[in-house]
Amino acid sequence: MQQKLHVTLLTGRTIEQGVGKEYGKSSHQYYEACSMVYMDVDDMQKLGVKNGTNVKVTTPNGSVILKAVKYPRGATPGLIYIPYGPWANAVVSNATTSIGMPSFKGTPADVEAALDQPVLSIKELLKKEFGR
Amino acid sequence: MTEMLIKNGFVFDPLNGINGEKMDIAIKDGKIVESVNDSRAKKIDATGLTVMPGGVDVHTHIAGAEVNTGRMIRPEDHVKDVVRKTALTRSGTGYSIPSTFVTGYRYSKMGYTTVMNPSMAPLGAKHTHEELNDIPLLDKATFPLLGDWWFVLENLQRDDLEGCARHIAWMMETTKGYAIKIVNPGGLESWGFGRNVHSIDDVVPNFDITPREIVCGLAKVNKMLNLPHTIHLHTNNLGIPGNYVTTLETMKALESVPNDGKPICHITHVQFSSFAGDNWGNMRSAAEEISRYINNHNHMTFDMGQIIFSDTTTMTADGPFEFTLYQLSGHKWVNSDVETETSGGIIPMHYKRTSAVNATQWSIGLELALMVKDPWKIFMTTDHPNAGPFFEYPKIIAWLTSRKARMATLKKCHKKAQKKSLLPSIKRELSLYELAIVTRAGQAKALGLKNKGHLGVGADADVAIYNINPETLDIAKKYITARKAFDSAAYTIKDGEIVVKDGEVVQNVPGRTMWLDVKTTEQLKVDEEMKRKFKDYWTVEYENYPVFDHYVKVPEAIPVKADV
Amino acid sequence: MSVINAVTCPICGCLCDDIEVTVVNNEVVKVKNGCAVCEAKYMGYKSEHRIRQPLIRKNGELVPVSMDEAVHEAAEILANANYPILYGWSSTNCEAQRIGVELAEEVGGVLDNTAVVCHGPSLMGTQEVGIPTSTLGQIRHRADVIIYWGCNPWSAHPRHLERYTSFTEGRFEDSEWKTYINKVKAAAGRKKVLSAQRVAPKPQRETVGESAVESVVFNKPPETLQKEGRKLIVIDVRKSMTAEMADYFIQVEPNKDYELMQAIRALVKDEELDVDQVAGVPVEYLREVVDVLVNCQFGVIFFGMGLTQSAGKFRNIEVAISLTRDLNARTKFLIMPMRGHFNVAGANIVFAWQSGYAFGVDFSLGYPRYNPGETTSMDVLLRGESDAALVIASDPGATFPKKAIQSLVKHPLIVIDPHMNATAMLGDIVFPSAFVGIEVEGTAYRMDNVPLPLKKVVEPPEGVISDEELLKKILAEVRRIKAQKAKKTAEVA
């Protein structure tokens, strides 16, 4: 079992995130949809992370606590997928490579178990990151 | 309320036979009138100046999806031509595809007051009208692309001219259009699967109809509907060496359509359709063959599509032709097919004097204009921006009115083109009167615009006043002075308001969008059929397809009573 | 009660206009034909997260104020700012976007829309090589090969396949819906058999009946690629739901799409490749796939964030379009970006016709300028160069990287939105607005640039006005403030 796993971070849409945003960014649906991360089932085993428990994702830009969920459609070894939203943006790279588009997909990240650390609500997250 | 008197100018009004007479033009409430109250009226002293009706452009791509995609993909076209915001005018950019506000300002600067946007995909009609709304200072209209519309192909294939006519009437009202535009008939539907037609008797795959049948059918339909303009045609095989044969065949085919001695078809940018030879190496002008035909027949009108040596952008509904240009140049290429209706393409193009082909093309446009004897048959355009940007019109005016000007340009061209050119043997120089025909009167007449292109009583008060004194300035000799005068009007008057003075915009007016309100007898039947067929043919709902009234900010609906 | 037909849904680039909405007492009670996200919007728009009146942050908290006070404060900020950003625009109508251009021009700011984090790179790609494309109906009528590359319509454009591609009836091609249903039934059957034998299906080689939707690593491409009818190919870094429905799925290594596309281009031109695999995909496969591409009647590539947001960004798009251009030498092939917000295309279109440029338009010198990396709002924020911002019809607070949001928050932030979204929670002045497509009518442009009308089906809440009206108020106030300032300066001189 490993302490930390080095992975590639992807962020993107899910249907739940799409539905959640229509109910409002402070809504329960949005929170459930976006404060989570899809992981490969073998990778989760390596880290000793059970499905539905919390993990910490760290990148050079920051870190965030998320609920880990097993990716339901086949293997994605070395890849993690966080739905678009403020939780993803706490760790996503801002490197625009001089064309205005940050690197939302395909940047390096580290994942480790974080059983006792809580997933923040959107209000708590915004307060922590931006002081408002 | 507003009265104006333009005093003592040299007036050129060919539709009313006025050739340089010194006279006053009276304006009241936006119309030309017999006379006004001398003390009340605002006076413009036009002594020593040339007074013409406002310019009318029969074919210029200025609004809609195609034009805008061109803008989006060519930032390099804009960065060299920026326009600052002023207290009166909006900012923007040029060069070959100007932003909408700049388009209005620049046309008005040259004394133009009415322009026709010749290509509108019906599915994108709302877009075209939104852009037309943002073109100030000009009256506008637009032509829906109908030559390859599935309903036209199906109705004509069944020989159902009346059915076709009713569908066209429905489409004209639905898209708020002004004329039937046909591009590479049959070729656009073929291009849906990457194919093309190569003669007017090729059969269009899946539709069992030929270009000949489409063009003749629609010319007949146009007559049945009593539309003010004729069908507006971009021929098959455009831009291909040897295509003059197709152009002649097309014109001959149209001889069979009954015409009451009036034109029944307008072939646009005919320069591109007048190539002889059979490859780019031996390509030469067919202006002689084409002009001979035009001089002996009266059922057609034309516009030049004159080349300007400049960087510019080609954009037409002729998808397969634009693909050919891509294959030749490897340049960035846009293709934009539109479901059920038409296609389109865009490619940047740089016309060079040092290219034998481009220089020959340049010569062809002028040869045609000068060898066709009757100026009421062929008008000045560049098919903007395809052959060149519209604000270079003064250059063409110089070439048409001054042999010295065109020979000076010819001498800078590729030697091969100089040898082939017919221009050295052409002495003709258009007079100011003839110039007024090919830049306004002729176009207004061909378009059926009763209140444009002339200064008779009842006409819209659209007037252009130029710094040219016909008694003291020989425009054939002093063509550079003449060019400058046509570049920057002394006054442009729109609906009786001075909008440009000394080449600067001094007032903002929105301009109107004209469209045809065609009334047929069996309107309802077409509506019902459309509702049924819509889900099969388009990916939008019948209810959401039309250009609703609020899309046209300042409309001018022209009622048309059809014979059907 | 009234039932309204042909309603255009205001969410994604599909811009489905066949939605049926039932309204009772000014409330939407039922939605028919829409996807899950559409239903969520029409049922959720009146949630408790709605902003009901203008708010200004005083002593750290957002408190309600009058419209006049909020408009005046906002106008003061914009009129006095040196280099403001006016960002968003993608979830409102064209009528509002036009006022936006006028406002940005008036205050000499940077006008940018959400394309900067979405398909801005695609626009840049087209500026390099153009784009062979069409309207969606052409796909429906003619396409027999449909490729989704770096996008997952199942999650982001749920009705795309059923309205425009594989599962539609066209004039020249039929729907593949029945084939897919049979596939799913067969899969359900096979799973039953396997569990009866107590054999766990291996995750890597999950087979679904005859037509194998499998990882490409060791097996031949399935026969479904040679079948009659439409073929669906998905290329992605992981097996998405759309990939599960595909006839063929290629799993490409992350950040390696560029290499893969170049390899395919070489094969399309009948060139030899010196390697055995590219981006994790065996060259043998690629040859078979290319065979399908060059022998089809009409192919189309739809692409999304997988290409615009991974390494290469706009170069990925440039190569994808170049591949499409190359294929046109062999057959009919087109390409189309899967635009996200329902009117992101509209914003680019309106900006372009009025200024010449589609996004990242800088008016600070008195005329429009465009230079991605310099004038794009993201870069302006990351370099900390702006000194005020107006955010409308978007949520950068939820979509921008942290550093950019920190820059936004450092200076006065004006927000216009119907919901209390992340940006509004961070804002200094917050305006409520009415939902376009539900409470306000207008025009929007679909992902293929077709303009469609949006309907108003209910009245907005009391005191809540449209974006267009609000922007007009702010613009008028900005002009008044500037005129006053100019008068004062003239008096002093």
Side-chain angles (χ1 to χ4, degrees):
Chain A
M1 206 180 81
Q2 273 172 248
Q3 251 300 72
K4 235 184 217 185
L5 194 62
H6 193 70
V7 292
T8 302
L9 168 64
L10 303 173
T11 63
R13 288 204 183 282
T14 64
I15 192 93
E16 295 82 2
Q17 171 253 344
V19 169
K21 69 173 162 49
E22 296 307 329
Y23 282 109
K25 298 289 165 68
S26 334
S27 71
H28 183 66
Q29 292 95 328
Y30 189 71
Y31 172 78
E32 291 294 322
C34 299
S35 61
M36 54 84 78
V37 55
Y38 280 117
M39 293 182 62
D40 176 80
V41 64
D42 288 337
D43 285 346
M44 287 170 84
Q45 214 166 48
K46 279 196 198 131
L47 282 176
V49 167
K50 277 216 186 88
N51 193 24
T53 63
N54 291 354
V55 292
K56 179 168 168 193
V57 173
T58 312
T59 68
N61 296 90
S63 69
V64 70
I65 308 293
L66 300 165
K67 181 165 79 173
V69 175
K70 174 173 72 170
Y71 186 67
R73 278 179 283 282
T76 60
L79 290 180
I80 64 172
Y81 188 96
I82 308 176
Y84 287 145
W87 293 267
N89 293 334
V91 292
V92 105
S93 160
N94 55 39
T96 70
T97 57
S98 295
I99 59 143
M101 167 67 90
S103 299
F104 284 113
K105 290 186 196 276
T107 53
D110 288 319
V111 195
E112 55 192 314
L115 219 45
D116 305 319
Q117 299 183 50
V119 175
L120 297 177
S121 71
I122 190 170
K123 282 207 174 70
E124 291 167 332
L125 186 62
L126 291 177
K127 196 72 196 250
K128 168 170 177 271
E129 306 274 303
F130 311 112
R132 286 198 177 175
Chain B
M1 282 101 63
T2 343
E3 288 178 72
M4 184 187 282
L5 192 60
I6 303 173
K7 293 181 76 73
N8 211 26
F10 294 99
V11 177
F12 292 88
D13 184 5
L15 276 166
N16 294 308
I18 299 174
N19 186 355
E21 221 179 287
K22 248 194 231 170
M23 57 187 277
D24 293 350
I25 302 287
I27 294 171
K28 184 166 180 217
D29 295 339
K31 293 279 195 186
I32 308 283
V33 293
E34 194 66 56
S35 64
V36 284
N37 185 305
D38 201 74
S39 54
R40 256 201 328 254
K42 181 186 173 106
K43 290 187 204 44
I44 295 183
D45 182 7
T47 310
L49 303 177
T50 291
V51 177
M52 289 189 180
V56 177
D57 196 338
V58 68
H59 186 112
T60 174
H61 297 266
I62 50 172
E66 193 131 76
V67 177
N68 209 39
T69 303
R71 288 185 187 111
M72 289 204 275
I73 65 153
R74 292 207 75 189
E76 76 277 10
D77 182 57
H78 312 312
V79 79
K80 61 191 178 194
D81 184 5
V82 297
V83 177
R84 279 178 193 282
K85 171 171 155 49
T86 69
L88 260 187
T89 56
R90 298 284 300 266
S91 69
T93 51
Y95 171 80
S96 67
I97 321 173
S99 53
T100 49
F101 305 119
V102 171
T103 304
Y105 304 147
R106 284 190 178 164
Y107 256 113
S108 192
K109 232 184 89 170
M110 297 191 301
Y112 272 78
T113 52
T114 303
V115 296
M116 300 282 127
N117 183 60
S119 275
M120 170 175 72
L123 184 60
K126 294 182 191 62
H127 182 175
T128 306
H129 283 286
E130 291 207 293
E131 289 199 24
L132 289 179
N133 287 334
D134 275 348
I135 299 179
L137 307 180
L138 305 172
D139 285 343
K140 310 144 283 235
T142 178
F143 308 160
L145 289 152
L146 297 172
D148 282 69
W149 185 30
W150 283 359
F151 284 94
V152 164
L153 300 180
E154 289 165 2
N155 276 291
L156 290 181
Q157 198 273 336
R158 285 198 294 268
D159 275 323
D160 184 0
L161 284 180
E162 288 205 6
C164 185
R166 286 195 200 95
H167 282 88
I168 300 272
W170 177 88
M171 189 57 112
M172 213 52 82
E173 197 198 330
T174 302
T175 61
K176 300 259 186 311
Y178 188 82
I180 298 174
K181 176 75 188 291
I182 306 168
V183 172
N184 186 7
L188 308 190
E189 168 50 42
S190 308
W191 183 241
F193 280 115
R195 294 192 274 278
N196 196 4
V197 293
H198 302 286
S199 89
I200 65 171
D201 291 306
D202 276 359
V203 180
V204 178
N206 298 313
F207 285 88
D208 191 27
I209 190 170
T210 64
R212 177 193 297 267
E213 290 162 345
I214 297 172
V215 173
C216 292
L218 285 173
K220 291 186 188 134
V221 160
N222 202 69
K223 275 202 98 244
M224 287 162 81
L225 291 172
N226 292 320
L227 303 188
H229 186 34
T230 60
I231 53 171
H232 198 102
L233 174 65
H234 159 141
T235 58
N236 300 113
N237 283 331
L238 184 120
I240 310 294
N243 64 10
Y244 85 95
V245 172
T246 310
T247 311
L248 282 176
E249 282 176 350
T250 308
M251 297 194 286
K252 286 194 181 116
L254 285 161
E255 286 176 32
S256 67
V257 176
N259 62 43
D260 309 333
K262 291 207 212 96
I264 46 119
C265 175
H266 178 94
I267 289 186
T268 185
H269 44 68
V270 65
Q271 170 267 126
F272 288 109
S273 304
S274 305
F275 299 172
D278 50 36
N279 61 59
W280 292 113
N282 65 22
M283 171 259 193
R284 59 167 182 81
S285 164
E288 202 150 2
E289 292 88 330
I290 298 287
S291 61
R292 190 181 314 129
Y293 182 93
I294 298 175
N295 286 331
N296 289 311
H297 294 87
N298 297 320
H299 61 297
M300 317 268 305
T301 54
F302 304 83
D303 67 82
M304 289 161 77
Q306 175 60 33
I307 298 285
I308 303 283
F309 293 116
S310 162
D311 183 46
T312 188
T313 313
T314 66
M315 53 176 68
T316 74
D318 198 341
F321 173 62
E322 296 288 338
F323 177 64
T324 307
L325 285 181
Y326 154 64
Q327 288 179 309
L328 284 173
S329 67
H331 221 313
K332 52 185 160 185
W333 163 56
V334 171
N335 183 74
S336 51
D337 299 334
V338 179
E339 68 213 52
T340 312
E341 295 168 3
T342 182
S343 88
I346 305 171
I347 275 222
M349 185 74 148
H350 195 136
Y351 294 108
K352 300 197 175 87
R353 293 178 190 80
T354 52
S355 153
V357 170
N358 294 161
T360 303
Q361 286 182 273
W362 169 83
S363 183
I364 292 174
L366 294 172
E367 290 165 13
L368 285 165
L370 295 165
M371 287 171 30
V372 169
K373 300 198 182 102
D374 184 356
W376 292 99
K377 282 182 178 169
I378 182 163
F379 318 127
M380 184 186 85
T381 64
T382 59
D383 184 20
H384 165 81
N386 286 280
F390 67 82
F391 49 80
E392 298 281 34
Y393 281 174
K395 284 204 174 115
I396 311 177
I397 291 177
W399 291 324
L400 288 172
T401 56
S402 163
R403 185 168 186 279
K404 196 166 151 210
R406 57 185 182 254
M407 293 309 286
T409 306
L410 181 62
K411 285 207 173 58
K412 299 197 200 122
C413 290
H414 192 287
K415 287 271 180 311
K416 214 163 142 188
Q418 285 191 51
K419 270 215 207 93
K420 292 198 255 193
S421 172
L422 302 173
L423 290 179
S425 63
I426 298 177
K427 301 252 180 332
R428 181 177 175 205
E429 290 168 337
L430 293 192
S431 63
L432 279 173
Y433 185 79
E434 291 172 310
L435 186 64
I437 296 171
V438 304
T439 58
R440 40 212 91 207
Q443 319 216 15
K445 182 166 177 224
L447 286 165
L449 291 167
K450 299 254 171 346
N451 297 326
K452 303 285 186 202
H454 72 102
L455 296 172
V457 170
D460 292 341
D462 295 343
V463 189
I465 307 177
Y466 299 107
N467 281 313
I468 293 189
N469 187 332
E471 284 182 347
T472 60
L473 181 67
D474 182 350
I475 61 173
K477 276 219 192 77
K478 298 254 184 258
Y479 59 87
I480 293 182
T481 311
R483 221 167 66 192
K484 288 205 179 114
F486 283 109
D487 190 63
S488 241
Y491 292 89
T492 307
I493 292 158
K494 183 82 192 66
D495 294 312
E497 300 286 338
I498 302 174
V499 292
V500 163
K501 187 165 185 299
D502 294 324
E504 294 300 321
V505 174
V506 295
Q507 199 189 160
N508 254 315
V509 302
R512 294 185 290 282
T513 301
M514 303 176 281
W515 61 277
L516 301 181
D517 189 5
V518 186
K519 289 283 177 261
T520 61
T521 52
E522 284 174 46
Q523 199 89 354
L524 200 54
K525 230 166 126 196
V526 176
D527 290 335
E528 289 307 315
E529 190 206 350
M530 281 296 171
K531 282 187 190 152
R532 274 197 318 267
K533 283 248 172 96
F534 236 82
K535 279 207 146 39
D536 290 337
Y537 281 29
W538 279 279
T539 53
V540 305
E541 296 289 304
Y542 168 82
E543 203 183 308
N544 292 327
Y545 187 80
V547 175
F548 308 114
D549 289 341
H550 67 80
Y551 276 104
V552 184
K553 284 252 144 64
V554 190
E556 184 181 326
I558 298 172
V560 174
K561 193 159 180 310
D563 286 334
V564 97
Chain C
M1 176 187 98
S2 55
V3 176
I4 308 168
N5 290 314
V7 174
T8 308
C9 170
I11 299 186
C12 79
C14 281
L15 219 53
C16 305
D17 71 330
D18 62 345
I19 311 299
E20 192 187 282
V21 169
T22 309
V23 176
V24 173
N25 287 335
N26 201 46
E27 267 195 26
V28 174
V29 299
K30 193 163 93 158
V31 175
K32 231 173 89 170
N33 292 333
C35 70
V37 191
C38 171
E39 264 200 57
K41 179 144 194 176
Y42 277 98
M43 306 305 269
Y45 73 94
K46 45 187 172 349
S47 76
E48 75 260 30
H49 307 289
R50 204 61 203 269
I51 308 171
R52 301 267 159 186
Q53 68 221 130
L55 307 161
I56 294 188
R57 193 174 294 273
K58 297 184 180 173
N59 298 321
E61 291 300 317
L62 286 170
V63 296
V65 293
S66 71
M67 179 63 83
D68 285 343
E69 184 184 343
V71 166
H72 178 76
E73 287 304 313
E76 276 281 355
I77 291 168
L78 290 172
N80 295 322
N82 201 21
Y83 198 40
I85 293 180
L86 291 88
Y87 175 83
W89 308 105
S90 302
S91 295
T92 186
N93 55 20
C94 293
E95 291 75 3
Q97 289 161 352
R98 290 164 78 173
I99 313 296
V101 181
E102 215 177 332
L103 181 59
E105 187 192 59
E106 185 68 49
V107 303
V110 170
L111 179 71
D112 207 359
N113 81 331
T114 64
V116 76
V117 292
C118 186
H119 275 287
S122 307
L123 288 169
M124 289 172 67
T126 64
Q127 287 164 358
E128 301 286 319
V129 287
I131 180 167
T133 188
S134 73
T135 63
L136 286 164
Q138 288 284 12
I139 314 300
R140 188 183 117 194
H141 286 304
R142 305 178 197 260
D144 59 336
V145 166
I146 294 149
I147 303 173
Y148 287 106
W149 198 318
C151 58
N152 183 11
W154 186 260
S155 291
H157 296 88
R159 291 181 76 208
H160 200 259
L161 281 92
E162 81 184 56
R163 271 179 69 78
Y164 307 123
T165 65
S166 307
F167 301 149
T168 58
E169 292 291 332
R171 186 174 186 133
F172 307 107
E173 289 288 333
D174 295 321
S175 167
E176 283 300 300
W177 182 239
K178 285 216 183 77
T179 315
Y180 170 63
I181 291 296
N182 290 335
K183 210 159 79 173
V184 170
K185 283 192 182 147
R190 185 159 163 75
K191 273 207 177 106
K192 277 202 181 123
V193 170
L194 281 176
S195 70
Q197 295 172 340
R198 296 178 202 272
V199 176
K202 294 202 184 77
Q204 188 102 3
R205 323 269 176 93
E206 192 108 46
T207 55
V208 184
E210 273 297 338
S211 24
V213 179
E214 46 191 8
S215 170
V216 131
V217 180
F218 297 111
N219 304 64
K220 267 189 77 72
E223 273 129 45
T224 46
L225 270 190
Q226 314 308 327
K227 68 170 197 199
E228 289 294 314
R230 304 192 203 259
K231 293 170 260 300
L232 179 62
I233 302 176
V234 170
I235 303 168
D236 207 330
V237 298
R238 52 182 195 132
K239 191 194 286 183
S240 60
M241 187 63 201
T242 314
E244 291 228 313
M245 296 193 286
D247 293 302
Y248 195 43
F249 167 56
I250 297 180
Q251 191 159 1
V252 58
E253 283 169 5
N255 294 323
K256 290 271 166 42
D257 299 274
Y258 187 93
E259 289 89 326
L260 184 58
M261 286 189 280
Q262 294 285 43
I264 295 178
R265 285 181 73 192
L267 292 173
V268 166
K269 293 186 175 175
D270 286 329
E271 284 174 23
E272 288 295 319
L273 291 180
D274 288 335
V275 293
D276 289 326
Q277 59 161 280
V278 179
V281 186
V283 171
E284 277 312 302
Y285 278 11
L286 292 183
R287 265 195 257 276
E288 307 241 7
V289 174
V290 167
D291 257 342
V292 173
L293 300 185
V294 303
N295 289 313
C296 75
Q297 290 262 60
F298 185 120
V300 60
I301 301 173
F302 290 99
F303 66 93
M305 303 295 97
L307 291 184
T308 63
Q309 293 182 344
S310 63
K313 295 181 187 157
F314 80 103
R315 295 294 180 198
N316 291 336
I317 314 307
E318 193 186 319
V319 178
I321 296 173
S322 299
L323 167 59
T324 312
R325 284 161 41 123
D326 293 342
L327 282 163
N328 270 281
R330 313 286 297 266
T331 181
K332 180 85 178 179
F333 232 92
L334 303 175
I335 184 167
M336 192 185 307
M338 300 283 274
R339 306 307 300 269
H341 291 261
F342 74 95
N343 205 14
V344 60
N348 297 128
I349 286 171
V350 172
F351 294 175
W353 92 53
Q354 293 209 338
S355 77
Y357 302 114
F359 70 109
V361 190
D362 181 330
F363 285 99
S364 62
L365 292 184
Y367 56 87
R369 287 191 315 133
Y370 163 78
N371 192 13
E374 184 198 336
T375 60
T376 31
S377 54
M378 180 69 65
D379 296 283
V380 171
L381 284 171
L382 291 173
R383 290 192 305 264
E385 289 176 351
S386 59
D387 60 348
L390 168 73
V391 171
I392 177 172
S394 63
D395 196 8
T399 54
F400 275 16
K402 201 160 59 173
K403 188 159 171 225
I405 304 176
Q406 280 164 346
S407 183
L408 259 185
V409 173
K410 221 158 136 192
H411 301 285
L413 174 57
I414 304 160
V415 183
I416 303 175
D417 208 90
H419 270 168
M420 192 52 113
N421 61 15
T423 318
M425 289 188 237
L426 299 169
D428 292 300
I429 305 182
V430 178
F431 287 95
S433 83
F435 272 108
V436 164
I438 306 179
E439 300 160 343
V440 175
E441 59 181 26
T443 311
Y445 284 76
R446 204 166 67 179
M447 65 165 66
D448 57 349
N449 298 337
V450 170
L452 282 164
L454 301 157
K455 283 197 168 80
K456 170 180 172 164
V457 297
V458 293
E459 292 294 326
E462 183 80 43
V464 175
I465 57 178
S466 69
D467 293 326
E468 188 189 351
E469 281 180 81
L470 179 55
L471 289 166
K472 279 187 177 151
K473 276 192 208 280
I474 297 176
L475 178 59
E477 184 65 7
V478 162
R479 288 193 166 133
R480 199 191 61 83
I481 292 171
K482 283 175 82 178
Q484 219 170 42
K485 226 163 94 173
K487 214 167 126 206
K488 278 213 185 98
T489 326
E491 281 166 7
V492 168

